Structure formats: C-alpha cells, structure tokens
Amino acid sequence: MYTKKVMDHFSNPRNMGEIENPSGVGTVGNAKCGDIMRMYLDIDDKGIINDVKFKTFGCGAAVATSSIATELVKGKTVEDALKVTNKAVVEALDGLPPVKVHCSLLAEEAIHAALWDYAERKGIKIEGLEKPKSDIHEEEEKEEIVY
Ligand code: FES
C-alpha cells in the first residue's frame, strides 16, 4: 500500500524537531482527521532556507510528507520553496494512496503558513503567497474531486 520511500520517511523522519528563534512558523490542521502539522523555517538575509524542522501530530503519511517536504525546501529560496506543491511532495514519495493525498496537502499548507509568518515578521510580501488556511478540510473536499 505504501511505497518504500513513504515507509523510510515514516520510520526515519528527517528534520524532526523545532528551531529556536525561527524566521517563521506555520501550524495547520485538518479538522476532519484531527491531524496537525507545524513547520519551522530558518531563513537567511538572502532569502535562503538554511534550516527547516517539523513536528507532526498525525498519521504515518503525514509524518512522511512532512519529512520529505523539509528535504524539498531546505537550501531553496523562499520563491522556490513556494513552488513545492503537494503534488511535488507525493511525487517525491513515489506516490501515496488516494485516501492519503490530503496528508500531503497539509505539508504544502504548513510550508505556506511558515512562509506567511516569515513575511509578516519581516513586513514583506511574497509574490504568489496567499494567506494560508488554518484548517485544510475545505480545500481537501475540492481536491478530492480532482484526484
Ligand atoms: Fe489526516 Fe493523514 S489522515 S493527515
């Protein structure tokens, strides 16, 4: 049911934990399954994500998607991190069962929420970044039609 990559990131999550004095933090949840994901970003003066950590209270797929999402955004510019969609997260894991796709959406939203917090703290606007939802539940309903 789960790919090797999912099992690997679930069993050995990368970048789990938190960052003291982060540049931005984002927490999102899904009211339907009750899972919560938090992302911490450390961003330097050039807008490069030097470090990223996550904490996830959630299912195994949510842990795996958080873990791979941190690897996908680490070392990237803020602009490039914004392009890490839930589709990219699913692809990097070599796929997720359809009923678990919403878990990857949580990862995308958590990154966006942390970037939003970073922009607010700095008083800047990040092109293409919309105010994140704290509950992805509604979005997921729409997404499910697509998948
Ligand atoms: Fe909700 Fe995985 S079941 S995030």
Side-chain angles (χ1 to χ4, degrees):
M1 181 176 176
Y2 288 114
T3 66
K4 270 193 190 141
K5 277 216 178 141
V6 173
M7 291 315 291
D8 177 30
H9 279 267
F10 167 63
S11 310
N12 304 295
R14 326 295 202 264
N15 306 306
M16 196 159 63
E18 58 186 274
I19 294 174
E20 256 184 69
N21 304 317
S23 313
V25 188
T27 307
V28 293
N30 182 323
K32 207 165 152 192
C33 64
D35 292 349
I36 297 167
M37 195 180 287
R38 181 171 295 160
M39 286 273 176
Y40 300 81
L41 297 176
D42 179 41
I43 300 170
D44 71 13
D45 295 343
K46 296 192 187 84
I48 310 276
I49 299 173
N50 279 333
D51 202 8
V52 45
K53 295 254 193 275
F54 79 91
K55 274 188 171 173
T56 293
F57 280 100
C59 70
V63 172
T65 55
S66 320
S67 170
I68 198 111
T70 62
E71 288 200 325
L72 290 175
V73 299
K74 201 168 180 173
K76 287 212 163 92
T77 60
V78 163
E79 288 71 25
D80 284 344
L82 202 55
K83 293 180 201 142
V84 175
T85 59
N86 83 301
K87 207 165 165 260
V89 166
V90 173
E91 275 169 16
L93 287 170
D94 295 334
L96 271 178
V99 292
K100 288 290 174 184
V101 167
H102 79 268
C103 317
S104 64
L105 211 55
L106 211 52
E108 177 188 313
E109 248 346 86
I111 293 167
H112 287 184
L115 288 171
W116 182 267
D117 183 44
Y118 160 74
E120 288 227 302
R121 290 181 196 212
K122 286 205 77 137
I124 58 169
K125 198 176 174 328
I126 299 173
E127 203 59 48
L129 179 63
E130 287 174 20
K131 194 171 188 339
K133 299 162 201 63
S134 53
D135 172 20
I136 64 147
H137 185 184
E138 282 169 31
E139 175 110 352
E140 172 206 331
E141 306 266 286
K142 274 187 266 147
E143 290 285 322
E144 265 171 6
I145 298 166
V146 179
Y147 283 97

